[in-house]
Amino acid sequence: MLKHLKMIAGIAYQDNKTKALIKRIPRNAVAVVCHRDIDALAAEGLIHSQVKAVINFNESMTGTYDHDGVWKLLEAGIPVFDAFGPKQDLDHQYIHIIDGELYVRNNGTYEKVAEVFQYSFNVVIQRKRHAWNNLSEQYRAFVNNSLTHAEKELHQFLHPIVQLSLRKKMEGKDVLIVARGEGYMDDLKAFKRLRGKKEVVIIAVDGGADGLLACRMKPDFIIGDMDSVSRKALTAGDPQLIVHRYLDGSSPGEVRLKQLGLRVDAITFVGTSEDVALIFSYWAKANKIYMIGTRSSMNEFLEKGRPGMGSSLLARIQAGHKIVDLKGIRHVINENDYPMPKLVALPAFLLFALYFASPKMELLITIILQVIR
């Protein structure tokens, strides 16, 4: 558990996007972000990067809705501070926090740049309570926003968005859509154990492609605005790249892909890239659509700064009969559910001898090997 700290010091690494900072921050550095309501996924990334502390030039937990980002950081022993005042450029600066004040070392002297507020578990509990008291009003606003936008965007869902050449690669097949949501890596590992050798077409949504590679799986398609997927993931296994263009024609990562000389297709559509991946699979006549890491609740959308889910609501209504949502499957399935049979520990030569010694033993070993694949 986190103890109250009066002083902390270290080299600061800063980025306007927390997910970009996570990719380059070294171990034991101080993370400086500008992230209103730090979401659980961002917290998991910062914990994985083993940062020393988090300084936020925004409010890490506003209490407008419930989330576990700050709680996760505190549980991991990482102190969280909100800095007050104009945002400073602290990247690669040596910083020092003592008694609620943030200093930067400059030519051997320390200059105060901001006052800071340190979070505690009690503060998080208070803000969670405030979020609960505000739930009805927040929910009403979210639903109204969702229904208003759903009515405006409905026409986008009435016509196929998939080219025939792409549809042929997916028609009648099971599809796995992987987005970079909270706990998605552990869900992927659980799915991989359950799947065995069953073939599925894998679609990564942006940075979900990197999670797949970490689990030794390669996507067949990468769909998204391509602003958070690594160059390695873009080229590993030669996936088909499909850029999600917004209705105004923009796409944050399309220029980058062209500069890398990569061949891309494009889909112009409303909503999130997760919506595009789902509707793409639906109109491609996929059989079953397994989903990992995708957003489906008010809190998850609010964490990403979206005050509604109109397009996602329409996508789920349209393709819902094909969806198998595996988010959270890690809580049901774990490694201990499939223990390795002791027979596997036998020397290879003994297994080989037993295999040919008896038809019954041959059958037994064959069954065991099928189970543990």
Side-chain angles (χ1 to χ4, degrees):
M1 287 292 185
L2 181 73
K3 297 180 180 179
H4 181 72
L5 298 176
K6 289 187 177 181
M7 186 271 287
I8 193 165
I11 302 297
Y13 281 74
Q14 182 173 354
D15 202 292
N16 289 329
K17 291 187 175 181
T18 306
K19 61 183 178 183
L21 177 63
I22 289 168
K23 293 179 180 179
R24 66 178 180 88
I25 190 169
R27 179 181 176 182
N28 211 35
V30 177
V32 181
V33 300
C34 187
H35 192 150
R36 183 178 176 87
D37 283 306
I38 295 176
D39 58 274
L41 181 62
E44 288 175 358
L46 291 165
I47 293 167
H48 181 74
S49 298
Q50 299 183 45
V51 301
K52 177 182 287 188
V54 175
I55 299 173
N56 193 357
F57 279 97
N58 209 319
E59 199 167 359
S60 299
M61 188 172 189
T62 62
T64 55
Y65 67 94
D66 188 17
H67 64 80
D68 293 324
V70 176
W71 185 276
K72 284 178 176 287
L73 289 165
L74 298 184
E75 257 191 337
I78 299 172
V80 180
F81 302 89
D82 284 353
F84 301 101
K87 186 172 71 172
Q88 305 288 324
D89 182 6
L90 303 179
D91 198 32
H92 290 86
Q93 300 285 332
Y94 187 85
I95 64 95
H96 190 99
I97 293 177
I98 185 168
D99 293 332
E101 296 179 331
L102 171 63
Y103 295 85
V104 173
R105 188 170 64 188
N106 187 13
N107 295 324
T109 63
Y110 284 90
E111 176 187 354
K112 179 182 173 181
V113 294
E115 293 186 354
V116 296
F117 167 79
Q118 182 176 356
Y119 282 83
S120 66
F121 287 110
N122 284 337
V123 169
V124 174
I125 290 170
Q126 290 171 8
R127 299 197 181 185
K128 280 178 171 287
R129 188 177 295 121
H130 184 271
W132 179 259
N133 293 335
N134 189 49
L135 177 62
S136 295
E137 189 58 36
Q138 182 72 69
Y139 183 67
R140 180 183 290 108
F142 187 87
V143 170
N144 286 337
N145 179 288
S146 300
L147 295 178
T148 298
H149 282 83
E151 185 176 11
K152 293 178 180 178
E153 296 165 356
L154 176 60
H155 69 282
Q156 295 282 329
F157 290 79
L158 302 181
H159 307 285
I161 65 170
V162 183
Q163 302 170 15
L164 182 60
S165 60
L166 296 177
R167 195 181 80 185
K168 289 180 179 179
K169 297 182 179 181
M170 302 178 65
E171 189 170 351
K173 298 179 181 178
D174 290 343
V175 172
L176 170 65
I177 297 175
V178 178
R180 192 173 154 271
E182 180 189 0
Y184 81 107
M185 289 282 288
D186 289 331
D187 285 342
L188 256 181
K189 293 171 185 175
F191 172 78
K192 189 176 180 181
R193 287 193 295 274
L194 284 175
R195 181 187 65 163
K197 289 194 171 183
K198 184 178 181 180
E199 293 296 325
V200 294
V201 176
I202 301 177
I203 300 177
V205 179
D206 279 323
D210 290 285
L212 281 162
L213 291 187
C215 291
R216 297 183 180 180
M217 301 169 70
K218 294 180 180 179
D220 299 293
F221 295 87
I222 301 177
I223 294 178
D225 53 24
M226 306 296 181
D227 67 339
S228 61
V229 56
S230 71
R231 181 171 182 172
K232 179 181 178 181
L234 288 169
T235 55
D238 192 28
Q240 185 133 10
L241 307 179
I242 301 176
V243 171
H244 173 203
R245 288 181 185 155
Y246 305 120
L247 295 185
D248 62 3
S250 66
S251 177
E254 186 170 5
V255 173
R256 173 194 173 209
L257 297 189
K258 291 180 178 179
Q259 290 174 341
L260 292 173
L262 299 174
R263 180 178 57 83
V264 299
D265 292 292
I267 291 178
T268 300
F269 202 70
V270 296
T272 70
S273 296
E274 293 175 19
D275 301 334
V276 175
L278 176 55
I279 294 305
F280 174 83
S281 304
Y282 172 77
W283 283 110
K285 298 186 177 180
N287 179 36
K288 289 294 181 184
I289 304 172
Y290 300 99
M291 303 182 73
I292 287 177
T294 55
R295 289 171 285 179
S296 58
S297 72
M298 179 180 75
N299 274 27
E300 291 169 324
F301 280 87
L302 291 175
E303 282 185 333
K304 293 300 179 184
R306 299 184 70 94
M309 54 179 291
S311 60
S312 299
L313 181 65
L314 292 173
R316 293 266 177 166
I317 291 173
Q318 189 171 61
H321 60 291
K322 291 180 176 287
I323 294 174
V324 180
D325 199 331
L326 299 177
K327 183 171 59 182
I329 193 175
R330 65 190 183 278
H331 299 302
V332 181
I333 303 296
N334 58 59
E335 294 177 356
N336 296 328
D337 293 327
Y338 295 91
M340 190 71 75
K342 293 182 179 179
L343 182 60
V344 177
L346 291 173
F349 74 88
L350 183 55
L351 280 176
F352 184 79
L354 288 172
Y355 185 81
F356 288 102
S358 161
K360 291 183 179 179
M361 184 59 70
E362 176 183 342
L363 177 61
L364 174 61
I365 294 174
T366 301
I367 292 172
I368 291 173
L369 292 175
Q370 288 293 327
V371 169
I372 65 175
R373 281 179 182 173

